[in-house]
Every structure is written in C-alpha cells, then in structure tokens.
Amino acid sequence: IVAFLVTAFMILTGRKGGQHVNPGIKKDQPKVVDSFTMKDIEDLMKKDKNGVVAICRCWRSKNFPLCDGSHTAFNKTCGDNVGPAVLKK
Ligand code: FES
C-alpha cells in the first residue's frame, strides 16, 4: 500500500524517483536545518526596508535560507508558483 501511495503521489505531482527539491544548497550536510532566534528575526526585520523577513521555499536563493527573489526566475522556467514565507510583526 505504501509503495502504491508513493507511486501515485509521484505520478500526480509529476515527480520521478531520484529528483530532488534542493538543487545544491549545503549538499555536504545530511539534512539542511536553519534556526533563527526571535532576536535574529527582529534584527533581520530592522535591516529590511519593509520590516519583514522572507524565508526561501524554492531552494534557489543565493542568500538561502533568506529569499532573494530568485523564485521569480525559477517559476518562469518551470511554470511553478512557489514563493517565500514572509514573517511580519
Ligand atoms: Fe526562494 Fe524567494 S528565492 S522563495
């Protein structure tokens, strides 16, 4: 049943076995985990002209884990609709 569900998910989402979401960020690590304290977030909000923190969810940012707008070009190339998670006060 699990194999069937995995296969169905891959077919429905257009994924093939072996494809990765992460194209090249911190590939030397077994798992990419980024942590922020509330102070980190407050400091980042102070630096931003709009007072927000945008967290990358497309894995294409040159400033990962922060969004640098690379999702726009990525979406144009593949027809996806990904964007950042935006933290606001
Ligand atoms: Fe990845 Fe914006 S660059 S979500």
Side-chain angles (χ1 to χ4, degrees), residues 4-69:
F4 169 78
L5 292 174
V6 169
T7 302
F9 173 79
M10 289 179 159
I11 291 169
L12 291 172
T13 60
R15 290 178 181 230
K16 297 175 186 155
Q19 287 186 329
H20 295 207
V21 171
N22 177 3
I25 296 170
K26 302 178 185 176
K27 286 295 193 178
D28 58 324
Q29 299 178 10
K31 185 190 306 183
V32 180
V33 176
D34 297 290
S35 300
F36 298 91
T37 65
M38 293 306 293
K39 171 97 169 70
D40 295 334
I41 294 170
E42 287 172 8
D43 290 347
L44 287 166
M45 285 178 170
K46 286 176 188 168
K47 288 182 189 171
D48 184 78
K49 67 180 180 193
N50 297 315
V52 301
V53 175
I55 306 295
C56 178
R57 296 192 299 179
C58 74
W59 291 86
R60 276 28 184 211
S61 174
K62 302 285 185 284
N63 194 27
F64 193 89
L66 301 177
C67 172
D68 70 354

